[in-house]
Structures are given as structure tokens and as C-alpha cells.
């Protein structure tokens, strides 16, 4: 299934140029690896990067640099890590997300689990959020922005359905209350610049528990 | 990483033209090398100086693999050390240059250039010349290693910086456009100067767009829209010729 909702081109350019922070990079990357259209955009930007790096003025390397490199290539390479098997029912997801889901998942509220992927419980970070069918995230807004890629299931937000592989970005002007569809549970990979700002009483109770 | 003072100087219009011309010359050289074979190892600057500027115009057919790509294939197929040395002499100084521009100090830049070339050796079997030009592939390795180095300080458990390179199949038109350095370089050469400038800044400045905007003396919205226009234009130029 090909995703229908994509990052804006700014994000794809930043991804290809390498200027996204690691938290955002992970979420944009999760979408790109299942989205041929965005991967194509990125291939073009990377080709531009190749031409530009090739055109940079050469900076002198250390005088022994080539000798060192030729010695290093003779050393045995460390074994390549086998990619961990994916998770049943998920899209093909980044290894870091799969590993977090297996090892760092904790129940945060009935029907809701979280697993940190990059960063701690506060501030800029990325995490997995698993939510049961029909459950809503309490109304909230953000300081800075929130990037989401759906790894499993679907949620509804502001009249739109986001399904597997879909990407959704909300900035601080957005106040929303996403709800998981009734078809099944939903797992999202999320990057935030800062903690959510709860907008109702339920959220203010929910947030300290879930710490999202 | 520390930020070297003056490493993010604002480009003048003239230097952009030079850069773009140089891009095109370089891309043409890549094609030339393949025709000459790569037994002769010559500084790229020497080759560049020997090229006539006239060679820039006109679409030269890129029959077979461009030379630098063939070198990577030679590494993959038979562990060709001479091919590696040629690639090293060409790319290591440029990768170092890239790292320095993005704020690495001399030692880190040197290490990351070494690391990039070691990765080229070890992962040469993953290079697909039908999918990317040599310079593109090496750029992505350098970029990923830089990102990985930058986050080493974080608490995050290390994951494979190349995990993300598992990309879905791409449309043929994009593949054939993106793997052809000459076409990409000529497309960049056709961009209006202000668009070429924001593109360069997007790659070679480790700063958010808002800071780039301040340096260029432009509103943020202008920088963003120029970047989008530039990319749309490149896509158009590369797509048209497909």
C-alpha cells in the first residue's frame, strides 16, 4: 500500500541535505522508506548533493592519509548487523523504532502505550505511541511542531484519515484531538520539539501519566 | 562540533557562477575519465584545467558507466586497491571540505573523510550504478556519517546509520535522471542565481533555514519559497529530459 499523505517538500530537502535533527529524521525516514514518490524526490536532491560535493574545492588531507586508508581496508570489517525482523502488522519500519517497541514499551494509560526512541521523557524527542481502537488523544497543541508517521492502523484528525505510512505534521497553530479509527489499534512514530500543551481537563490528567 | 568563524560566508553572485561552472566541468570530467580509462591517476584539478569550457555545452552521451562509478564497481567485484586509491585521492579531500563547511574541526573532518572512504570500500557491493552516480552515493555516506557523529554524544542507543538507505523502488525516469551527474550538473547550471544560492546553503550550512535567511538578508518565507522553486525547477529539468 502506497502512502497518500506526504511531508512537505521542505522536509524532504532537509532530509536529503542532512539538516534535519535526528528525531525528525527518523520520522521522515520512516515515511520515505515506504513511499516511492518521496524517495524519488530525495534521490533528486541527493544527486544535487553529489554534484555539489564533487565541486567543492579539495582540502588537503594529512600526508599519510592514503597510506592509512590503504592499511585500514586490509583490516577485517566488523560483521554487519542483521536487520531485526519487522513487527507483524506494521509497515517496514526503521530498526530503531522496531527495537524500541520490543524493549522499551510501557503502558501509559488503558489502551495507550509509549516507547521512547530518541531522547528522554521531556523536550525534543521521538517516541512510539500505540493507541487502542476508537481512543482519542485529548485535545492539545504543541510548542514547536509534531511530526507523525503511521506504522500501523489509522487515525482520524481534522476530518482526514491517516493510514499506514502516512505522514502528518502539525505546528503550534494546530489544536487537535486525533482519534484512532475503530478498525484496530494504531501505532505512530512521533517527533516533537517539546511536550504537548494540553487543552482540556482530560489532557491535563492524561499528559503527566503518558508524558507525551 | 565547533563552528569555524567565517566558514559560512555569504556567497557572492560571481562565486555562485564559478561554483556552478565548476560543477558542470567536474561532471564532464567524470565522463572523460571513463573514456580515458582509469589507469592514469591524475589530480582532478589538472584534468579540470585541461578541459575546454566549450565541452560544457552540448549533451555528451554517457555511454557505459561514468569513470568514478566504474571504480566503485571494480572495488566490489575484485577488491581493486588501485581503484580505491584513485577514488580516495578524488573524494577524500572533498569530503573533508564538506565536513569543514558544516562546522567540523580539522581533525574530525579528516577522520570523517577517512571513515567515509573506508565505508566506500566496505559497502561497495551495495552501490548500484543504475541507481545513483558515484558522487551521489559518496555524498549520502558522508552525510550519514556526519549525522551519526553529531549524535554520538546523545543517550540514544546507536543504530545503523545506513538502515535508512533501504529505499523503495524508484520510478525509472527519476533513476535515469538522478544517476546521471552530467544532467544533474547542467540542471543546476540552469537555475537562476538566487535559487542556486539557497540550494548550496541548504547543503553546506548546518543551520536552520531561519538562520540562513538572516545571513542572506532575506525573509524566511523567501528562502523557503526559493528553495521549493529551485527543487521544482530541477525536478522539471530532470524529468523533461527523461
Amino acid at each position: 500500500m502506497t502512502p497518500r499523505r506526504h511531508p512537505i517538500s521542505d522536509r524532504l530537502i532537509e532530509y536529503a541535505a542532512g539538516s534535519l535533527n535526528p528525531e525528525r529524521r527518523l520520522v521522515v525516514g520512516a515515511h520515505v522508506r515506504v513511499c516511492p514518490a518521496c524517495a524519488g524526490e530525495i534521490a533528486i536532491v541527493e544527486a544535487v548533493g553529489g554534484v555539489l560535493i564533487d565541486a567543492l574545492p579539495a582540502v588537503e588531507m594529512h600526508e599519510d592519509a592514503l597510506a592509512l586508508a590503504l592499511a585500514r581496508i586490509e583490516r577485517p570489517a566488523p560483521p554487519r548487523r542483521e536487520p531485526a525482523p519487522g513487527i507483524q502488522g506494521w509497515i517496514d519500519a526503521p530498526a530503531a523504532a522496531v527495537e524500541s517497541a520490543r524493549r522499551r514499551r510501557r503502558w501509559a494509560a488503558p489502551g495507550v502505550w509509549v516507547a521512547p526512541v530518541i531522547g528522554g521523557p521531556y523536550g525534543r524527542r521521538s517516541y512510539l505511541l500505540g493507541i487502542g481502537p476508537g481512543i482519542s488523544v485529548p485535545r492539545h497543541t504543541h510548542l514547536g511542531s509534531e511530526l507523525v508517521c503511521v506504522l500501523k492502523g489509522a487515525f482520524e484528525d481534522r476530518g482526514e484519515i491517516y493510514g499506514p505510512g502516512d505522514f502528518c505534521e502539525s505546528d503550534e497553530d494546530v489544536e487537535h484531538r486525533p482519534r484512532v479509527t475503530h478498525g484496530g489499534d494504531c501505532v505512530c512514530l512521533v517527533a516533537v520539539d517539546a511536550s504537548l500543551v494540553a487543552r482540556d481537563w482530560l489532557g491535563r490528567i492524561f499528559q503527566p501519566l503518558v508524558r507525551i | 562540533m565547533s563552528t569555524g568563524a567565517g566558514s559560512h560566508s555569504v556567497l557572492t553572485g560571481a562565486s555562485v557562477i564559478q561554483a556552478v561552472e565548476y560543477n558542470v566541468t567536474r561532471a564532464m570530467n567524470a565522463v572523460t575519465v571513463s573514456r580515458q580509462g582509469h589507469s592514469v591517476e591524475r589530480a582532478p584539478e589538472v584534468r579540470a584545467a585541461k578541459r575546454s569550457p566549450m565541452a560544457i555545452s552540448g549533451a555528451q552521451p554517457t555511454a557505459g558507466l561514468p569513470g568514478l562509478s566504474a571504480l566503485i564497481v571494480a572495488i566490489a567485484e575484485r577488491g581493486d586497491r588501485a581503484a580505491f586509491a584513485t577514488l580516495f585521492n578524488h573524494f577524500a579531500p572533498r569530503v573533508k571540505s564538506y565536513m569543514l563547511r558544516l562546522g567540523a574541526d580539522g581533525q574530525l573532518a579528516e577522520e570523517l573523510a577517512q571513515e567515509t572512504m573506508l565505508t566506500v570500500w566496505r559497502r561497495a557491493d551495495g552501490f548500484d550504478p543504475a541507481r545513483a552516480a558515484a558522487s551521489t552515493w559518496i555524498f549520502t555516506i558522508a552525510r550519514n556519517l556526519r549525522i551519526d557523529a553529531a549524535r554520538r554524544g546523545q543517550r540514544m542507543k546507536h543504530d545503523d546509520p545506513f538502515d535508512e538507505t533501504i529505499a523503495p523502488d524508484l520510478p525509472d525516469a527519476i533513476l535515469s535522471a538522478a544517476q546521471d551527474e552530467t544532467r544533474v550538473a547542467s540542471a543546476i547550471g540552469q537555475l537562476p542565481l538566487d535559487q542556486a544560492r539557497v540550494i548550496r546553503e541548504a547543503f553546506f550550512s548546518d543551520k536552520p533555514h531561519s538562520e540562513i535567511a538572516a545571513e542572506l538578508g532575506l525573509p524566511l518565507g523567501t528562502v523557503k519559497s526559493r528553495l521549493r522553486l529551485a527543487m521544482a525547477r530541477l525536478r522539471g529539468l530532470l524529468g523533461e529530459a527523461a
Side-chain angles (χ1 to χ4, degrees):
Chain A
M1 184 164 29
T2 309
R4 290 174 308 120
R5 304 195 175 276
H6 309 277
I8 57 172
S9 68
D10 299 31
R11 296 295 160 266
L12 298 178
I13 296 169
E14 289 169 340
Y15 180 91
S19 56
L20 280 179
N21 65 43
E23 293 82 357
R24 289 176 160 216
R25 181 171 193 79
L26 184 71
V27 180
V28 176
H31 169 80
V32 170
R33 63 193 279 151
V34 297
C35 181
C38 290
E41 291 282 311
I42 283 171
I44 288 177
V45 187
E46 287 175 341
V48 172
V51 168
L52 292 180
I53 203 168
D54 203 41
L56 284 177
V59 171
E60 207 170 320
M61 294 286 286
H62 190 275
E63 55 181 338
D64 299 328
L66 178 59
L68 175 63
L70 288 170
R72 287 179 81 186
I73 63 174
E74 300 304 331
R75 294 178 205 157
R80 285 189 203 176
R81 233 199 282 176
E82 286 296 311
I87 294 180
Q88 186 74 31
W90 285 26
I91 61 167
D92 173 41
V98 170
E99 194 176 303
S100 274
R102 292 219 166 93
R103 296 172 182 224
R104 304 178 76 184
R105 182 196 298 230
R106 62 182 175 75
W107 290 99
V112 180
W113 59 266
V114 290
V117 183
I118 306 177
Y122 304 102
R124 196 178 95 189
R125 64 205 185 279
S126 60
Y127 57 88
L128 290 164
L129 182 62
I131 300 184
I135 297 178
S136 287
V137 175
R139 180 168 296 280
H140 65 275
T141 183
H142 319 95
L143 293 169
S145 63
E146 176 190 72
L147 277 51
V148 174
C149 178
V150 182
L151 303 183
K152 180 193 183 190
F155 68 85
E156 181 273 324
D157 186 19
R158 289 161 278 167
E160 307 282 358
I161 302 282
Y162 294 84
D166 280 345
F167 184 92
C168 175
E169 176 167 348
S170 309
D171 64 16
E172 51 203 352
D173 300 329
V174 171
E175 189 177 309
H176 63 161
R177 186 168 180 269
R179 173 192 286 275
V180 171
T181 57
H182 288 279
D185 63 326
C186 177
V187 178
C188 293
L189 182 59
V190 184
V192 289
D193 295 332
S195 295
L196 308 189
V197 180
R199 285 295 189 211
D200 61 16
W201 65 270
L202 180 62
R204 282 188 282 270
I205 295 169
F206 181 84
Q207 193 190 8
L209 297 173
V210 181
R211 288 193 307 212
I212 59 173
Chain B
M1 291 193 199
S2 66
T3 304
S7 61
H8 300 293
S9 60
V10 175
L11 286 164
T12 62
S15 70
V16 170
I17 296 173
Q18 280 170 359
V20 168
E21 283 176 355
Y22 190 57
N23 290 344
V24 176
T25 315
R26 269 297 322 135
M28 296 312 301
N29 287 338
V31 175
T32 313
V33 181
S34 74
R35 298 216 180 95
Q36 291 168 344
H38 21 78
S39 50
V40 185
E41 194 181 312
R42 212 179 282 156
E45 288 70 22
V46 178
R47 292 199 308 267
K50 286 194 167 185
R51 297 294 305 167
S52 148
M54 294 306 291
I56 295 170
S57 60
Q60 294 200 5
T62 53
L65 301 173
L68 295 167
S69 295
L71 296 177
I72 303 174
V73 172
I75 293 173
E77 286 177 353
R78 48 182 187 276
D80 188 330
R81 286 159 176 78
F84 176 76
T86 307
L87 276 174
F88 187 95
N89 287 334
H90 180 74
F91 280 110
R94 289 176 169 76
V95 172
K96 183 173 180 181
S97 188
Y98 168 68
M99 299 298 176
L100 288 169
R101 263 159 213 265
L102 284 161
D105 62 23
Q107 193 189 339
L108 181 60
E110 174 99 13
E111 278 169 20
L112 288 170
Q114 281 281 0
E115 202 63 36
T116 299
M117 297 313 296
L118 181 62
T119 305
V120 166
W121 174 267
R122 288 183 174 165
R123 292 191 177 251
D125 60 339
F127 171 70
D128 179 358
R131 209 182 155 95
S135 61
T136 304
W137 187 63
I138 293 175
F139 162 72
T140 61
I141 292 173
R143 175 198 68 192
N144 291 0
L145 289 172
R146 182 182 77 80
I147 292 167
D148 196 46
R151 70 189 183 191
R152 257 171 225 168
Q154 289 183 286
R155 280 192 281 166
M156 180 195 180
K157 186 169 163 36
H158 247 210
D159 67 322
D160 183 348
F162 298 95
D163 178 47
E164 66 185 56
T165 55
I166 306 159
D169 290 338
L170 303 180
D172 288 346
I174 284 175
L175 278 183
S176 67
Q179 59 85 29
D180 186 344
E181 278 185 300
T182 316
R183 265 171 65 188
V184 177
S186 95
I188 296 171
Q190 291 176 56
L191 287 180
L193 283 183
D194 56 350
Q195 292 178 14
R197 193 155 127 178
V198 293
I199 287 256
R200 272 186 75 82
E201 285 294 317
F203 280 94
F204 297 140
S205 171
D206 192 19
K207 296 178 179 180
H209 289 160
S210 54
E211 282 180 43
I212 295 174
E215 281 182 8
L216 296 175
L218 296 167
L220 177 58
T222 307
V223 168
K224 285 187 173 178
S225 61
R226 271 188 198 171
L227 202 49
R228 279 179 215 144
L229 277 174
M231 282 317 304
R233 176 119 195 215
L234 285 174
R235 208 184 303 120
L237 287 167
L238 292 169
E240 271 166 25

